[in-house]
């Protein structure tokens, strides 16, 4: 409860103390006109964030004094089309600030555009030989990035906690052999530098979505961040967590719906696919889905991956193991290579119906 209370205090302070405005420049506005508007806005102490599209430039203004900003009469300046407040408590995350979808490049592929991004691998790094076997397996199945936890947050202190830095080194070796970028969770501010050294994408797990110090630290690391929704978080709280990262200068944020805690006990969590549609209407950031943690039972994972793609998810994050019954962690929700190949074929078909594609996806007949 204390963490929730502190989080709500942070939201209140942000919304009361920060003014969000966007200045929409006219189509074809010249650079000197944009520069002049930015200069005027900065003179009042506002932070400025530029979103320069193909046709228009949008200038986001964060902080400063409302009355002073209004006194500038910015709409009368050359090149300005419209000035409007950002109504959401999250500013940089808001689609009002950045109407176009954000596209983030991860290795040879992108997330957030028309392509579907697929991340797969075991729950944790269990050893060198097993991880390399798993990496080559998912590469052959058409996955675009490798996941496997080096640091594992577990409910029980007696459960397998991961291999730490040694696990990161094994992941780096797997990347060298397969070319797959690495997604890895970071749990502590002290571990951000070493995880950023070895991983291509830093993951913030559900338990750390409201760890503000950690959010700020990954916001300064310069690497893409995959932000999982807290298991009891609202969509607004999730987006506000993303705002923490972006406010530190890192705009490479990928949102991940991984299931929320409800009264239902038939599945591990309740996978909230409506969050994909709602989040994509509110923010320009990519939204991916983790059906493995969402349902917690391998029999349901492929079906929910299909549903996530149909709902418009930009990617799928799935736990897959060469021999899932032998997995040291999350065995019950981990699928094997046969199910994974079927999933790839099925989500590729669904993506095609929606005018999207799964780049270089393997079509394995089973």
């Amino acid at each position: 409860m204390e963490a929730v209370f502190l989080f709500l205090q942070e939201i209140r302070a942000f919304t009361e103390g920060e003014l969000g405005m966007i200045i929409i420049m006219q189509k074809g506005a010249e650079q000197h006109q944009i520069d002049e508007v930015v200069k005027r806005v900065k003179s009042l102490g506002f932070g400025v964030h530029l979103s320069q599209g193909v046709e228009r430039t949008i200038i986001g203004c964060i902080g400063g004094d409302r009355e002073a900003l209004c006194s500038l009469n910015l709409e009368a300046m050359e090149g300005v089309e419209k000035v409007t407040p950002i109504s959401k408590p999250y500013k940089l995350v808001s689609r009002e600030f950045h109407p176009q979808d954000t596209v983030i490049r991860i290795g040879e592929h992108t997330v957030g555009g028309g392509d579907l991004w697929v991340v797969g691998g075991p729950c944790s790094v269990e050893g060198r030989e097993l991880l390399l076997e798993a990496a080559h397996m998912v590469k052959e199945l058409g996955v675009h990035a490798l996941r496997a936890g080096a640091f594992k947050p577990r409910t029980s202190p007696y459960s397998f906690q991961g291999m730490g830095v040694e696990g990161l080194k094994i992941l780096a070796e797997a990347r060298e052999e397969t070319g797959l970028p690495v997604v890895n969770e970071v749990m502590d501010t002290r571990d951000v530098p070493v995880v950023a050294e070895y991983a291509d994408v830093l993951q913030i797990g559900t338990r750390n979505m409201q760890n503000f110090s950690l959010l700020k630290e990954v916001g300064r690391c310069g690497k893409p961040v995959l932000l999982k929704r807290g298991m009891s978080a609202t969509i607004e709280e999730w987006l506000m967590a993303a705002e923490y990262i972006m406010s530190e200068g890192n705009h490479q944020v990928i949102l991940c719906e991984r299931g929320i805690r409800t009264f239902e006990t038939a599945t591990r969590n309740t996978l909230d696919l409506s969050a994909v549609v709602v989040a994509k209407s509110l923010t320009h950031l990519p939204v991916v889905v983790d059906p493995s943690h969402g349902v917690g039972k391998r029999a349901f994972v492929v079906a929910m991956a299909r549903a996530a793609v149909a709902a418009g998810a930009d990617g799928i994050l799935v736990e897959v193991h060469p021999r899932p019954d032998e997995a040291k962690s999350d065995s019950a929700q981990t699928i094997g290579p046969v199910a994974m190949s079927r999933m790839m074929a099925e989500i590729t078909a669904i993506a095609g119906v929606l005018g999207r594609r799964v780049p270089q996806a393997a079509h394995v007949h089973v």
Side-chain angles (χ1 to χ4, degrees):
M1 289 299 294
E2 182 180 359
V4 174
F5 175 74
L6 290 173
F7 186 63
L8 291 175
Q9 280 191 318
E10 292 278 0
I11 292 176
R12 189 174 299 111
F14 186 86
T15 55
E16 291 178 357
E18 297 279 358
L19 170 65
M21 300 284 286
I22 54 175
I23 303 167
I24 303 173
M25 301 300 292
Q26 295 173 356
K27 181 178 179 180
E30 298 180 7
Q31 188 60 48
H32 73 87
Q33 296 173 329
I34 297 170
D35 293 342
E36 184 60 30
V37 173
V38 169
K39 180 180 177 182
R40 293 280 294 277
V41 169
K42 283 185 174 180
S43 70
L44 295 178
F46 280 84
V48 172
H49 299 271
L50 285 177
S51 175
Q52 293 184 294
V54 176
E55 294 186 347
R56 295 181 189 275
T57 294
I58 295 177
I59 303 171
C61 311
I62 307 296
D65 178 77
R66 179 186 295 271
E67 292 184 2
L69 185 66
C70 292
S71 69
L72 288 180
N73 193 21
L74 293 171
E75 289 189 341
M77 294 184 66
E78 291 186 358
V80 175
E81 179 176 303
K82 184 170 61 174
V83 178
T84 183
I86 301 175
S87 60
K88 303 295 188 297
Y90 38 88
K91 314 301 182 184
L92 304 176
V93 169
S94 172
R95 191 172 283 280
E96 293 173 296
F97 166 67
H98 193 292
Q100 298 83 20
D101 289 340
T102 287
V103 179
I104 301 170
R105 176 160 291 279
I106 312 292
E108 297 180 356
H109 301 284
T110 58
V111 55
D115 293 345
L116 195 69
W117 188 57
V118 184
V119 183
C123 174
S124 58
V125 181
E126 301 173 11
R128 179 178 177 275
E129 291 186 6
L130 187 282
L131 194 280
L132 293 177
E133 178 187 0
H136 284 284
M137 179 191 74
V138 296
K139 172 73 172 182
E140 292 175 2
L141 292 172
V143 162
H144 308 128
L146 174 66
R147 58 137 296 134
F151 301 90
K152 293 303 300 177
R154 310 305 303 280
T155 301
S156 170
Y158 308 112
S159 299
F160 177 62
Q161 303 289 316
M163 296 181 66
V165 175
E166 185 60 32
L168 291 172
K169 293 178 180 179
I170 295 171
L171 283 165
E173 183 179 353
R175 177 176 54 212
E176 285 296 314
E177 289 196 9
T178 64
L180 291 174
V182 169
V183 179
N184 202 261
E185 182 171 356
V186 59
M187 298 168 53
D188 193 303
T189 55
R190 296 168 295 183
D191 295 329
V192 171
V194 69
V195 176
E197 179 182 351
Y198 288 100
D200 301 281
V201 179
L202 276 64
Q203 176 181 307
I204 300 295
T206 185
R207 293 171 176 83
N208 274 314
M209 192 207 79
Q210 295 177 335
N211 184 338
F212 308 124
S213 297
L214 184 58
L215 297 178
K216 291 178 180 179
E217 193 65 30
V218 297
R220 294 188 284 266
C221 78
K223 289 287 186 77
V225 177
L226 189 146
L227 177 65
K228 286 198 167 185
R229 181 183 179 185
M231 64 181 74
S232 299
T234 66
I235 292 174
E236 182 170 292
E237 289 168 343
W238 185 24
L239 298 183
M240 287 299 296
E243 188 80 8
Y244 266 91
I245 299 170
M246 294 183 69
S247 69
E248 294 295 330
N250 188 351
H251 291 201
Q252 300 181 89
V253 180
I254 303 164
L255 300 172
C256 181
E257 162 59 35
R258 49 79 64 202
I260 54 175
R261 180 168 291 177
T262 69
F263 57 81
E264 184 55 71
T265 59
T267 53
R268 178 177 178 178
N269 295 289
T270 297
L271 189 60
D272 183 11
L273 292 182
S274 67
V276 176
V277 182
V278 174
K280 288 181 71 67
S281 72
L282 297 174
T283 179
H284 53 91
L285 298 176
V287 181
V288 303
V289 171
D290 175 356
S292 300
H293 286 88
V295 293
K297 296 185 177 182
R298 72 175 65 147
F300 305 146
V301 169
V302 173
M304 296 314 296
R306 296 196 305 259
V309 175
D314 294 299
I316 298 294
L317 184 76
V318 66
E319 291 187 349
V320 55
H321 191 288
R323 293 167 294 281
D325 289 336
E326 300 176 11
K328 288 187 178 181
S329 55
D330 284 351
S331 173
Q333 67 191 38
T334 301
I335 62 175
V338 173
M340 184 69 185
S341 65
R342 186 175 73 250
M343 187 197 84
M344 292 299 293
E346 292 176 354
I347 65 174
T348 297
I350 294 171
V353 171
L354 299 174
R356 306 175 72 186
R357 70 185 188 108
V358 181
Q360 301 177 2
H363 298 276
V364 181
H365 297 286
V366 296

